[in-house]
Amino acid sequence: MGKDVIIALDFDSREKTLAFLDRFQEEKPFVKVGMELFYAEGPDIVRQIRARGHRIFLDLKLHDIPNTVKKAMAALSALDVDIINLHAAGTKAMMSAALEGLTRPDGTRPLLIAVTQLTSTDQERMEQELLIHAPIDEVVLHYARNARDAGLDGVVCSPLEAGSIHARCGADFLTVTPGVRFADGETGDQKRVTTPERARELGSDYIVVGRPITQADDPVAAYRRCVAAFVG
Ligand code: C5P
């Protein structure tokens, strides 16, 4: 898989999602289905998007005891998605179990990536509420290493962390990075943002872009602008 732009389909209904995708007549963007859409519409929405020919990142961020995650991943493996994720905080045992559950009888499986620390968690919250006292950059790198040791394919992280994660975990270890904004756009609730051009320079493999595309007056033009800047 090469560098690409993944559109976050943060919609609350099938109708809105399919109406949005209908606007794309010439290309089939890689899309992300998250908790909001999945819990609203169930697995059928994933099948419908897949049937239209889109590649899919299923962003459900699983985190439970290893046996439960293994069985949940086995159920999700039937959905024919390209990337799926979980929380690295669930431990290496949970990540290994997830990988086992996700692997189909014929040996194929979606790519499995881990969330390190959510970009909504900062140093202060981590120390005061989670009692984790290491610097957040070290925590992110350590979780990425755990994910790699468990056999996972990469992590979700900030574009600002992509370079150090590649240096520590290998150039092939995927970095999938949200928090991307056009230089002339709104940042909304995202704190540490970078442009598609900068994400490319920093070594992100995939950028996840939601509102700058979904809320644009012309989403297809915004998507093309993103692809031109990130993929070239
Ligand atoms: O609209 P925006 O471009 O901010 O959307 C970013 C997407 O990436 C959202 O679906 C959000 O849930 C997701 N995400 C994130 N930060 C993380 C993990 C996921 O923004 N650390």
Side-chain angles (χ1 to χ4, degrees), residues 34-71:
M35 290 184 203
E36 182 185 11
L37 184 57
F38 191 83
Y39 291 146
E41 296 290 350
D44 246 3
I45 188 66
V46 175
R47 293 188 194 100
Q48 285 182 41
I49 296 170
R50 186 81 193 107
R52 288 170 165 236
H54 295 274
R55 284 165 296 152
I56 299 174
F57 167 20
L58 187 57
D59 177 22
L60 298 181
K61 301 186 179 72
L62 276 69
H63 189 173
D64 207 317
I65 60 170
N67 187 55
T68 300
V69 170
K70 178 178 170 179
K71 291 187 170 171

Side-chain angles (χ1 to χ4, degrees), residues 2 5 10 14 24 71 110 115 118 122-123 144 149 154 162 167 208:
V5 174
D10 292 326
R14 187 178 74 96
F24 292 83
K71 291 187 170 171
V115 176
L118 289 171
D122 61 14
Q123 185 77 39
D149 292 350
V208 175

Side-chain angles (χ1 to χ4, degrees), residues 8 10 32 59 61 118-119 156 178 181 190 208-212:
D10 292 326
K32 178 172 91 69
D59 177 22
K61 301 186 179 72
L118 289 171
T119 44
V156 183
R181 292 291 179 270
Q190 292 282 14
V208 175
V209 187
R211 288 161 291 181

